[in-house]
């Protein structure tokens, strides 16, 4: 019975958060994404050239992760191609074993190759770990690498106001194109 109550509370909380997140306009998503990229650039000096060389960059500036024993996350973002907004996506996923509370983070997913970007765009939904892998980089790794030196077709960064975070995963996150 208690487990069912917890699940209901999580569902209600995530529903309320996702309604608020959906209220972001395209202009708000673009502005928040630009701010997230500027922050990432401050954390990883030299990353701007890497991002400019990429085939595409998917930015989720505000991902809310909520947990009550079990939990989930939701956020909306923009796919930038040639540094211009191309399409809008949501990311969602379930998480288990989270502590009580909420966390906020940002994610930047970089499509290093054209082929990786084409394959991502062709899918109706993209689930990390099922449809493809996202190799997470630290700020130091990103600052010292060029796109020609990276063996992975898709790389990512997870960060918060504390900087680029290590030892996290995007495994299980599902990205879906939004009709905007």
């Amino acid at each position: 019975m208690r487990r069912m109550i917890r699940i209901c509370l999580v569902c209600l909380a995530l529903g309320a958060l996702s309604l608020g997140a959906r209220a972001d306009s395209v202009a708000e998503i673009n502005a928040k994404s630009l701010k997230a990229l500027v922050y990432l650039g401050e954390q990883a000096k030299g990353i701007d050239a890497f991002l400019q060389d990429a085939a595409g960059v998917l930015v989720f500036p505000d991902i809310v992760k909520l947990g009550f024993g079990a939990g989930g996350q939701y956020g909306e973002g923009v796919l930038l191609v040639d540094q211009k907004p191309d399409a809008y996506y949501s990311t969602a996923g379930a998480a288990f074993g989270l502590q009580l509370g909420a966390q906020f983070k940002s994610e930047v997913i970089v499509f290093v190759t054209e082929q990786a970007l084409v394959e991502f765009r062709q899918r109706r939904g993209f689930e990390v770990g099922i449809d493809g892998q996202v190799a997470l980089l630290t700020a130091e790794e990103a600052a010292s690498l060029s796109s020609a030196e990276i063996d992975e077709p898709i790389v990512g960064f997870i960060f918060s106001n504390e900087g680029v975070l290590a030892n996290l995963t995007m495994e299980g996150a599902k990205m879906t194109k939004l009709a905007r």
Side-chain angles (χ1 to χ4, degrees):
M1 181 68 168
R2 287 183 184 178
R3 184 169 189 230
M4 184 60 81
I5 292 171
R6 274 193 217 160
I7 291 172
C8 288
L9 287 173
V10 168
C11 289
L12 287 172
L14 287 175
L17 287 172
S18 68
L19 287 175
R22 285 189 198 135
D24 279 352
S25 69
V26 167
E28 289 171 318
I29 292 171
N30 291 343
K32 289 178 181 179
S33 295
L34 178 61
K35 187 177 177 182
L37 288 174
V38 167
Y39 182 78
L40 179 60
E42 291 169 355
Q43 299 300 306
K45 302 294 182 202
I47 196 170
D48 294 336
F50 171 70
L51 295 177
Q52 288 177 356
D53 288 345
V57 178
L58 182 56
V59 183
F60 293 106
D62 289 324
I63 298 175
V64 178
K65 196 172 187 180
L66 191 66
F68 297 97
Q73 67 178 23
Y74 181 83
E76 292 182 348
V78 61
L79 174 64
L80 303 170
V81 178
D82 296 325
Q83 290 82 44
K84 295 182 183 105
D86 181 75
Y88 295 87
Y89 288 82
S90 67
T91 182
F96 301 97
L98 290 176
Q99 294 180 355
L100 179 68
Q103 294 177 323
F104 299 90
K105 64 179 179 172
S106 299
E107 294 179 357
V108 173
I109 299 168
V110 181
F111 299 93
V112 178
T113 65
E114 274 301 321
Q115 183 64 31
L117 179 61
V118 167
E119 290 174 8
F120 174 79
R121 286 172 148 172
Q122 289 175 343
R123 296 191 180 277
R124 186 167 185 203
F126 181 91
E127 188 170 346
V128 178
I130 304 291
D131 299 316
Q133 297 296 323
V134 177
L136 294 179
L137 298 179
T138 65
E140 295 79 23
E141 291 170 328
S144 65
L145 294 175
S146 71
S147 57
E149 297 173 310
I150 294 183
D151 294 335
E152 303 293 335
I154 306 172
V155 298
F157 305 91
I158 301 174
F159 54 97
S160 71
N161 60 348
E162 298 172 9
V164 178
L165 305 173
N167 300 325
L168 294 180
T169 180
M170 291 182 185
E171 200 77 21
K174 183 162 186 172
M175 290 153 232
T176 308
K177 189 172 184 180
L178 297 172
R180 291 200 180 176

